[in-house]
Amino acid sequence: MGRSGLSRAMRPDLDGATSLVVGASRGIGRSVALGLAASGASVIGMSRSADALYGLGEEIAASGGRFLPLVADISDLDAMETAVEDAWHWKGRLDSLVNSAGTTNRSSALDITPAEWDAVFDVNLRGAFFLTREVGRRMLDGDGGSIVSIASLSGVVSDGAQAAYSASKAALIHMSAVLAEQWAPKVRLNCVSPAWVETDMTRDFLANPDNRSTIVRRTPMGRLARPEEMVGAVLFLVSDMSSYMTGQNLILDGGWTA
């Protein structure tokens, strides 16, 4: 298996498709971008982290893939709108959007400030909505498409994450379901909800042995997930393999909710 976490035989054929991945410079978004490129898609990666984004582009190009880097902050609605316009014009279409940008705050419910709360929602919900609307509007006027948002198990059950993050992910799941009903049948919207994944965002929390051991004990698979283990679900949802699926939330939790 390659960096995408899938063997070639397991990948859908996305040759000729174009996908925008937001939050592509690290974690799940990076793995998804690699998986899409390995499946034949032309990939646009959007992120605030220019160096990491360009490094991803070099890796995709070295494997014969096509990649367009777009440096933009999803919480900056003006910059995001311009970035979506640039992404659309690269190939004259977008067949899929993967919302993978995310942030969290470790302050407790008793300590979090209004500014900290807003900062989480600005990225996880507000930015995701307006980005989805910009892409969705173009898909509805064009040939349709698929939109996948990376939500979280925290948006479904209480799993130890803090209130602001959990609430933002729950709202993202419901927002996707509402838009799926409104935009069907032309545009499909689904979510992927991982449990605890080994990423930069979770590194500090998981560095505490007590935190890590608690999560591992609670997970029937006996370990945390790797970013590349989310790729298969996303490729399924952006491809014709899921052509009759919309408004759904795929939970990848290692058995947590079994």
Side-chain angles (χ1 to χ4, degrees):
M1 293 189 183
R3 294 290 296 278
S4 66
L6 294 175
S7 69
R8 185 172 299 276
M10 295 169 63
R11 299 178 193 138
D13 182 7
L14 296 177
D15 189 45
T18 304
S19 182
L20 170 59
V21 181
V22 184
S25 65
R26 62 178 186 164
I28 295 172
R30 191 177 196 279
S31 290
V32 167
L34 289 168
L36 286 163
S39 298
S42 297
V43 179
I44 304 116
M46 185 188 299
S47 172
R48 295 178 300 175
S49 306
D51 290 344
L53 199 59
Y54 295 143
L56 171 62
E58 291 172 359
E59 185 171 347
I60 289 175
S63 299
R66 298 166 297 277
F67 183 79
L68 175 69
L70 292 176
V71 180
D73 183 347
I74 193 174
S75 65
D76 182 342
L77 298 188
D78 290 335
M80 179 272 303
E81 186 174 343
T82 300
V84 170
E85 189 72 18
D86 291 341
W88 188 272
H89 280 117
W90 185 43
K91 297 291 183 179
R93 60 184 293 127
L94 283 174
D95 299 285
S96 61
L97 162 67
V98 182
N99 281 318
S100 189
T103 190
T104 191
N105 186 287
R106 300 296 177 196
S107 298
S108 72
L110 294 177
D111 295 326
I112 192 168
T113 66
E116 289 173 332
W117 179 279
D118 289 346
V120 172
F121 270 75
D122 280 350
V123 173
N124 294 357
L125 184 64
R126 181 173 177 265
F129 170 76
F130 286 104
L131 173 74
T132 296
R133 189 178 72 174
E134 287 299 315
V135 173
R137 192 194 313 275
R138 291 166 172 80
M139 287 180 169
L140 288 167
D141 288 340
D143 297 326
S146 174
I147 297 174
V148 180
S149 292
I150 306 300
S152 174
L153 178 65
S154 305
V156 181
V157 299
S158 178
D159 67 348
Q162 298 297 348
Y165 179 81
S166 299
S168 70
K169 292 300 187 177
L172 179 63
I173 293 166
H174 196 63
M175 179 198 84
S176 297
V178 170
L179 295 179
E181 188 275 331
Q182 293 180 357
W183 294 354
K186 204 165 187 181
V187 177
R188 299 185 297 110
L189 294 97
N190 295 285
C191 289
V192 172
S193 285
W196 290 87
V197 184
E198 300 265 17
T199 65
D200 290 345
M201 191 169 72
T202 61
R203 180 178 294 120
D204 290 345
F205 180 81
L206 295 172
N208 183 316
D210 291 337
N211 293 339
R212 178 178 287 272
S213 63
T214 297
I215 293 167
V216 169
R217 284 197 305 271
R218 179 64 182 79
T219 305
M221 288 292 284
R223 62 176 176 83
L224 281 74
R226 300 183 300 272
E228 57 267 25
E229 291 181 298
M230 306 299 115
V231 176
V234 175
L235 294 183
F236 169 69
L237 291 173
V238 303
S239 74
D240 289 340
M241 296 169 68
S242 61
S243 58
Y244 198 59
M245 179 178 285
T246 195
Q248 302 304 304
N249 179 35
L250 296 183
I251 300 174
L252 279 63
D253 66 354
W256 189 296
T257 55

